[in-house]
C-alpha cells in the first residue's frame, strides 16, 4: 500500500522585509544576503499572528475542501511553542472545527519535528488505512537584532494531509536517520530568540546529511543519479546548495552549476522570499517544487533531507503521483506571496520589539492583515483567537 502526502498547503505572514532594507540598516553589502546566503526577503509575523494562526491558516484550504473529515490524528510540529503544557494543535483543532474523535499532540525536535510528524502519521495510516492524519509544521524564526542569523529569519506553516493512496507524493519506506547530542542551535525556555553557533551548525548539518545518506544508500542501493530533484531543509537557500554539492562530491558524482540549478532551484523559490520556517522549511521547499516546476514531475523520485539542530537528521524519498497537479494549492500560494506588504526598517524593528507580553496582564492586540484567523489578545492567562471566516 502506498502512503504519503495527499494534500500540501502553505501559509506565511502578509508582511515581509526586503533584505536590502536590512543590509542598509546593518551597513552590509546587500549582495552578502542576496547571493552570499541566497535570501531576498524575510517573512515577519505581525503581533496578531502566532504559530497557531499560521498553522490554522495553512490548514484552512483543506478544511474548505472537506479534506479533514476523516482525520483522527493531528500532529503539530513546532519549535516556537506557546505553552509548556497544552498542545498548540488543540487551538487549531478548535478553529478548524475538527471532529472530537482525534488524537492531538505537539512534537518538538527543532526543525526535524515536521518529519517526525510525517513518519509517525505514516505509521498511523498503515494501521488505519481508511483514516487520515493532519501534520502541521509551524514556526517563527527569530534571532537577535544585529546577529549573524538575523537575515535568515522568516515565518510560515505547512499543513500536510497524510493518507493511503496519496495524490501528491508516495513516501518510500527506506530512511536513513541519525541522532547526536550537539549544541549548534537551541533556545532555552527563558529566551524568545534562538542561540546559535552559526558556522558550527552548518558543519553539523552537512555531517548529518552524509551519515543519513550513507544509511539510505546502503538500504536502497540508489545513487544520486536516481533522483530527479532534491528538497533540503532550508535555513537559507545557499545552505541547501552547499550541502548538495558536498554530498555529490562525497558520492563521486559532482555537479556543475547548471546541474545544481536543475536539481534544486524550483524547491528554493518560496524559501528565498519567506526565510526560514524551521520545522516546515523542507516542506515549503516541496510545495515550491511541486507548484512551480515547469516539467510534469509525475513518476519522478524526490530526495528529501530533513535536519533539526541538536541534532536529528533524516534522508528519505518519495515518488510524485500521476495527476498531482490537480491537487496543488499553487494559485493560492502565488497570490499570498505576491500580495504581501513590505515593511520599512522602523516598522520591522517596532514589530520585532512588540513581542508577546509575558507579565500575565490583559491585552487586546492591534489588528493587522492576517489570514482567516488572528491572535486577538490574552485574558486571564489564556490566549484568545478570532476567526475572520463568515
Ligand atoms: N557579496 C557576495 N557574497 C558575500 C558578500 C558580498 N558582498 N559578503 C559575504 N558574502 C558571502 C560569504 O563569502 C559567505 O559565503 P561562503 O559561505 O560561501 O563563504 C556568505 O556570504 C555568508 O557570509 P558569512 O559567512 O560571513 O556570514 P555570517 O557569518 O555573517 O552568517 C551564518 C552566516 C553563520 C550561517 C548565519 O546566517 C547564521 O548564524 N544563521 C543561523 C544558523 C543557521 O541557519 N544554520 C544553518 C545550519 S543549522 C539548521 O539548518 C537549523 C536551522 O534551521 C537553524
Amino acid at each position: 500500500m502506498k502512503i504519503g502526502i495527499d494534500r500540501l498547503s502553505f501559509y506565511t505572514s502578509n508582511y515581509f522585509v526586503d533584505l536590502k532594507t536590512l543590509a542598509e540598516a546593518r551597513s552590509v553589502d546587500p549582495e552578502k544576503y542576496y547571493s552570499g546566503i541566497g535570501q531576498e526577503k524575510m517573512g515577519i509575523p505581525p503581533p496578531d499572528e502566532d504559530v497557531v494562526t499560521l498553522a490554522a491558516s495553512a490548514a484552512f484550504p483543506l478544511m474548505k475542501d472537506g479534506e479533514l473529515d476523516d482525520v483522527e490524528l493531528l500532529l503539530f510540529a513546532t519549535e516556537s511553542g506557546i505553552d509548556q503544557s497544552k498542545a498548540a494543535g488543540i487551538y487549531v483543532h478548535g478553529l478548524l472545527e475538527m471532529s472530537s474523535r482525534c488524537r492531538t499532540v505537539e512534537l518538538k525536535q527543532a526543525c526535524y519535528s515536521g518529519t517526525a510528524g510525517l513518519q509517525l502519521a505514516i505509521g498511523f495510516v498503515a494501521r488505519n488505512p481508511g483514516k487520515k492524519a493532519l501534520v502541521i509544521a509551524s514556526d517563527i524564526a527569530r534571532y537577535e537584532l544585529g546577529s549573524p542569523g538575523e537575515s535568515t529569519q522568516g515565518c510560515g506553516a505547512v499543513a500536510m494531509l497524510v493518507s493511503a493512496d496519496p495524490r501528491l507524493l508516495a513516501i518510500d519506506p527506506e530512511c536513513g536517520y541519525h541522532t547526536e547530542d550537539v549544541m549548534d542551535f537551541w533556545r532555552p525556555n527563558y529566551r524568545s530568540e534562538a542561540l546559535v553557533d552559526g558556522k558550527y551548525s552548518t558543519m553539523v548539518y552537512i555531517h548529518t546529511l552524509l551519515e543519513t545518506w550513507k544509511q539510505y544508500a546502503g538500504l536502497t542501493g540508489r545513487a544520486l543519479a536516481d533522483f530527479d530533484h532534491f528538497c533540503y531543509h532550508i535555513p537559507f537557500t545557499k545552505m541547501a546548495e552547499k550541502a548538495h554539492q558536498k554530498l555529490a562530491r562525497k558520492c563521486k558524482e559532482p555537479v556543475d552549476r547548471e546541474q545544481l540549478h536543475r536539481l534544486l532551484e524550483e524547491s528554493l523559490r518560496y524559501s528565498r522570499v519567506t526565510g526560514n520556517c524551521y520545522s516546515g522549511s523542507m516542506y515549503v521547499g516541496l510545495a515550491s517544487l511541486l507548484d512551480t516546476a515547469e516539467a510534469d514531475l509525475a513518476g519522478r523520485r524526490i530526495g528529501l533531507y530533513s535536519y533539526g539542530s541538536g541534532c536529528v537528521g533524516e534522508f528519505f524519498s518519495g515518488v510524485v503521483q500521476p495527476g498531482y497537479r490537480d491537487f496543488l494549492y499553487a494559485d493560492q500560494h502565488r497570490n499570498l506571496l505576491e500580495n504581501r506588504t513590505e515593511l520599512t526598517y522602523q516598522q520591522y524593528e517596532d514589530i520585532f520589539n512588540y513581542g508577546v507580553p509575558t507579565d500575565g496582564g490583559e491585552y487586546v492586540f492591534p489588528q493587522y492583515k492576517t489570514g482567516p484567523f488572528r491572535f486577538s489578545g490574552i485574558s486571564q492567562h489564556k490566549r484568545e483567537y478570532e476567526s475572520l471566516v463568515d
Side-chain angles (χ1 to χ4, degrees):
M1 177 175 56
K2 287 184 192 170
I3 306 178
I5 302 174
D6 189 54
R7 302 299 303 264
L8 177 62
S9 169
F10 156 65
Y11 176 79
T12 185
S13 96
N14 285 279
Y15 298 91
F16 73 90
V17 172
D18 193 300
L19 289 183
K20 70 175 178 312
T21 306
L22 185 69
E24 197 182 330
R26 300 285 173 253
S27 304
V28 165
D29 178 355
E31 280 311 307
K32 171 173 176 178
Y33 299 149
Y34 285 176
S35 56
I37 63 165
Q39 291 299 120
E40 288 171 18
K41 296 172 182 171
M42 51 186 192
I44 302 295
D48 57 347
E49 193 89 90
D50 70 358
V51 286
V52 168
T53 61
L54 292 170
S57 297
F60 183 66
L62 276 63
M63 181 192 113
K64 268 199 325 196
D65 288 349
E67 301 280 15
L68 302 182
D69 298 348
D70 295 320
V71 170
E72 292 196 1
L73 176 66
L74 168 50
L75 296 174
F76 190 106
T78 188
E79 58 183 292
S80 323
I82 54 161
D83 193 288
Q84 293 284 31
S85 172
K86 177 166 173 158
I90 296 183
Y91 294 105
V92 176
H93 178 278
L95 290 169
L96 298 177
E97 298 174 0
M98 291 172 67
S99 162
S100 59
R101 184 176 159 79
C102 184
R103 297 183 178 122
T104 303
V105 183
E106 185 167 313
L107 302 172
K108 176 169 66 186
Q109 181 10 63
C111 307
Y112 171 72
S113 56
T115 297
L118 174 62
Q119 296 292 8
L120 291 170
I122 287 171
F124 168 80
V125 173
R127 183 133 192 198
N128 305 276
K131 299 296 172 191
K132 296 181 181 175
L134 177 63
V135 178
I136 303 183
S138 180
D139 267 308
I140 296 169
R142 228 176 113 88
Y143 296 90
E144 276 178 12
L145 294 177
S147 69
E150 184 184 25
S151 55
T152 69
Q153 293 178 122
C155 66
V158 288
M160 297 182 265
L161 193 66
V162 178
S163 74
D165 301 321
R167 289 169 286 183
L168 300 183
L169 189 75
I171 300 294
D172 294 319
E174 306 89 353
C175 317
Y177 34 84
H178 178 86
T179 292
E180 193 170 336
D181 185 1
V182 292
M183 294 301 280
D184 59 332
F185 170 106
W186 67 106
R187 185 167 69 82
N189 284 347
Y190 49 83
R191 288 182 61 97
S192 61
E193 290 89 37
L195 293 166
V196 61
D197 189 341
K199 299 280 184 207
Y200 177 56
S201 70
T202 63
M203 287 159 55
V204 186
Y205 176 113
I206 289 173
H207 166 75
T208 307
L209 167 64
L210 301 181
E211 290 298 315
T212 56
W213 166 260
K214 201 163 59 187
Q215 285 180 30
Y216 175 90
L219 289 167
T220 60
R222 290 187 190 118
L224 293 181
D226 293 322
F227 297 87
D228 290 278
H229 295 275
F230 292 86
C231 292
Y232 280 84
H233 168 56
I234 313 168
F236 48 95
T237 65
K238 212 44 181 284
M239 181 77 239
E241 292 179 358
K242 284 189 164 197
H244 190 73
Q245 281 168 317
K246 196 84 176 185
L247 177 62
R249 276 200 297 275
K250 186 85 183 169
C251 294
K252 303 201 181 352
E253 298 178 63
V255 287
D256 59 24
R257 288 287 328 156
E258 202 181 308
Q259 288 166 311
L260 188 68
H261 192 267
R262 189 181 56 72
L263 292 167
L264 296 193
E265 171 53 24
E266 288 146 339
S267 72
L268 304 179
R269 290 176 175 161
Y270 289 175
S271 294
R272 192 173 287 124
V273 295
T274 57
N276 197 349
C277 300
Y278 286 164
S279 57
S281 161
M282 192 191 77
Y283 300 94
V284 174
L286 178 62
S288 178
L289 170 65
L290 297 177
D291 287 357
T292 71
E294 275 171 36
D296 184 352
L297 300 180
R300 311 277 179 97
R301 177 162 274 114
I302 314 289
L304 302 153
Y305 175 62
S306 177
Y307 175 74
S309 291
C311 72
V312 181
E314 180 157 343
F315 192 98
F316 61 114
S317 57
V319 177
V320 181
Q321 297 301 291
Y324 73 99
R325 279 180 159 152
D326 295 338
F327 299 98
L328 297 174
Y329 290 108
D331 291 346
Q332 214 153 304
H333 297 156
R334 194 180 50 250
N335 286 340
L336 170 67
L337 292 173
E338 282 176 0
N339 291 306
R340 294 181 297 167
T341 302
E342 181 171 356
L343 299 174
T344 63
Y345 178 77
Q346 195 52 52
Q347 287 170 323
Y348 155 62
E349 199 174 298
D350 290 347
I351 286 178
F352 186 97
N353 289 326
Y354 190 91
V356 176
T358 53
D359 61 2
E362 302 286 305
Y363 290 93
V364 174
F365 297 141
Q367 181 151 9
Y368 283 73
K369 192 173 164 210
T370 63
F373 307 102
R374 61 183 294 272
F375 175 27
S376 54
I378 301 178
S379 178
Q380 298 182 337
H381 303 280
K382 297 171 193 163
R383 286 191 175 226
E384 295 187 333
Y385 293 98
E386 187 183 347
S387 171
L388 307 174
V389 183
D390 298 331

